[in-house]
């Protein structure tokens, strides 16, 4: 009976779908951004991942709280199905998924921050004030993670986290991306938007390997 039970558990784990919630960065409501992000699932579908693009509409409203609630509602809906759920956030979406992970860390399989700013940074350019000027919600998301959620992450929590950034990014300072104790890597890409896009699509084997652990 023990052998049968173990085999059943393995079969159940195999049958569970791996659902990915992807949160894009600023200007996510713009038509070009929408069209480009629609391409991402095409690069993942053949590997057994189901992609769900959740757009916070960063420039609408001033508070991050309703945006976080919106993301969590999508997470909870997928968890209710009994599926495996992981999160990927690109650019501003990185701070969003890190906060969502902090709220559901016992139920989230893995979380990946792609080129996302996770802290204010001291004496870096562009400054925190510059990048959050048109989206106070983005600024709130950064501070929420840096000041409240990151400090209480355990060593086990941090093992579920990957951060990845291009070798050169003039939009997001390198020192604001990584998380201590997480799997932090640098991709051989250049640029913030282009580098991040290439990471999610053409360098995605690194991300998928982490998600499959």
């Amino acid at each position: 009976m023990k052998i049968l039970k173990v085999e059943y558990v393995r079969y159940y784990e195999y049958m569970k779908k791996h659902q990915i919630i992807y949160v894009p960065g600023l200007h996510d409501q713009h038509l070009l951004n929408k069209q480009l992000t629609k391409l991402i699932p095409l690069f993942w579908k053949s590997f057994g991942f189901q992609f769900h693009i959740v757009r916070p509409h960063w420039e609408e409203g001033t508070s991050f709280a309703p945006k976080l609630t919106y993301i969590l509602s999508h997470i909870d809906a997928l968890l209710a199905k009994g599926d495996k759920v992981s999160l990927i956030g690109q650019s501003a979406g990185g701070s969003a998924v890190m906060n969502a992970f902090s709220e559901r860390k016992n139920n989230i399989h893995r979380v990946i921050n792609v080129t996302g700013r996770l802290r204010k940074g001291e004496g870096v350019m562009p400054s925190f004030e510059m990048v959050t000027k048109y989206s106070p919600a983005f600024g709130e998301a950064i501070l929420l993670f840096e000041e409240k959620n990151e400090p209480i992450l355990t060593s086990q929590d941090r093992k579920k986290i990957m951060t990845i950034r291009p070798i050169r990014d003039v939009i997001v300072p390198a020192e604001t991306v990584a998380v201590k104790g997480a799997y932090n890597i640098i991709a051989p890409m250049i640029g913030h938007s282009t580098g991040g896009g290439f990471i999610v699509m053409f360098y995605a084997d690194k991300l998928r390997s982490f998600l499959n652990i």
Side-chain angles (χ1 to χ4, degrees):
M1 291 298 294
K2 288 184 178 180
I3 295 177
L4 290 175
K5 185 176 181 180
V6 170
E7 290 300 322
Y8 173 77
V9 170
R10 288 176 178 171
Y11 177 73
Y12 174 72
E13 288 295 323
Y14 175 77
M15 291 300 293
K16 284 167 58 173
K17 297 177 182 177
H18 199 159
Q19 309 275 6
I20 306 293
I21 287 181
Y22 168 83
V23 180
L26 300 180
H27 314 302
D28 58 318
Q29 73 275 25
H30 292 181
L31 180 60
L32 179 60
N33 186 297
K34 288 181 178 180
Q35 295 303 318
L36 291 175
T37 52
K38 283 181 180 179
L39 297 175
I40 297 174
L42 301 178
F43 288 81
W44 287 72
K45 186 177 181 180
S46 61
F47 293 92
F49 296 92
Q50 295 197 354
F51 237 76
H52 305 266
I53 300 175
V54 178
R55 305 178 193 280
H57 289 201
W58 285 107
E59 285 80 19
E60 296 178 8
T62 59
S63 175
F64 175 62
K67 301 180 190 303
L68 178 59
T69 299
Y70 180 61
I71 296 168
L72 291 174
S73 68
H74 282 77
I75 293 173
D76 292 342
L78 294 177
L79 289 173
K81 296 180 180 180
D83 289 340
K84 185 186 297 184
V85 179
S86 293
L87 313 175
I88 298 176
Q90 184 174 340
S91 192
S95 58
V97 298
M98 292 306 300
N99 284 305
F101 169 73
S102 299
E103 293 288 335
R104 299 289 188 272
K105 60 185 183 180
N106 292 330
N107 303 109
I108 297 298
H109 179 64
R110 296 284 186 272
V111 58
I112 301 177
N113 170 37
V114 181
T115 73
R117 189 171 189 146
L118 300 180
R119 55 190 62 86
K120 284 184 68 174
E122 297 297 331
V124 297
M125 290 297 288
S127 68
F128 172 79
E129 290 73 22
M130 291 172 63
V131 299
T132 61
K133 182 177 180 180
Y134 299 105
S135 178
F138 174 37
E140 190 178 312
I142 293 173
L143 296 180
L144 177 63
F145 181 69
E146 179 179 17
E147 298 176 356
K148 179 185 176 181
N149 288 325
E150 183 177 10
I152 60 175
L153 291 175
T154 67
S155 59
Q156 290 303 309
D157 296 335
R158 294 167 189 267
K159 290 178 181 178
K160 292 183 175 184
I161 300 170
M162 168 193 262
T163 75
I164 182 168
R165 62 178 178 84
I167 195 169
R168 185 172 182 272
D169 183 345
V170 298
I171 302 298
V172 176
E175 55 266 47
T176 67
V177 177
V179 173
K180 185 177 180 180
Y183 181 43
N184 304 297
I185 64 174
I186 301 173
M189 310 289 179
I190 295 176
H192 180 68
S193 297
T194 54
F198 285 153
I199 286 171
V200 176
M201 290 187 284
F202 304 114
Y203 201 64
D205 58 321
K206 296 290 184 183
L207 280 62
R208 287 190 287 262
S209 294
F210 178 73
L211 293 172
N212 280 324
I213 294 175

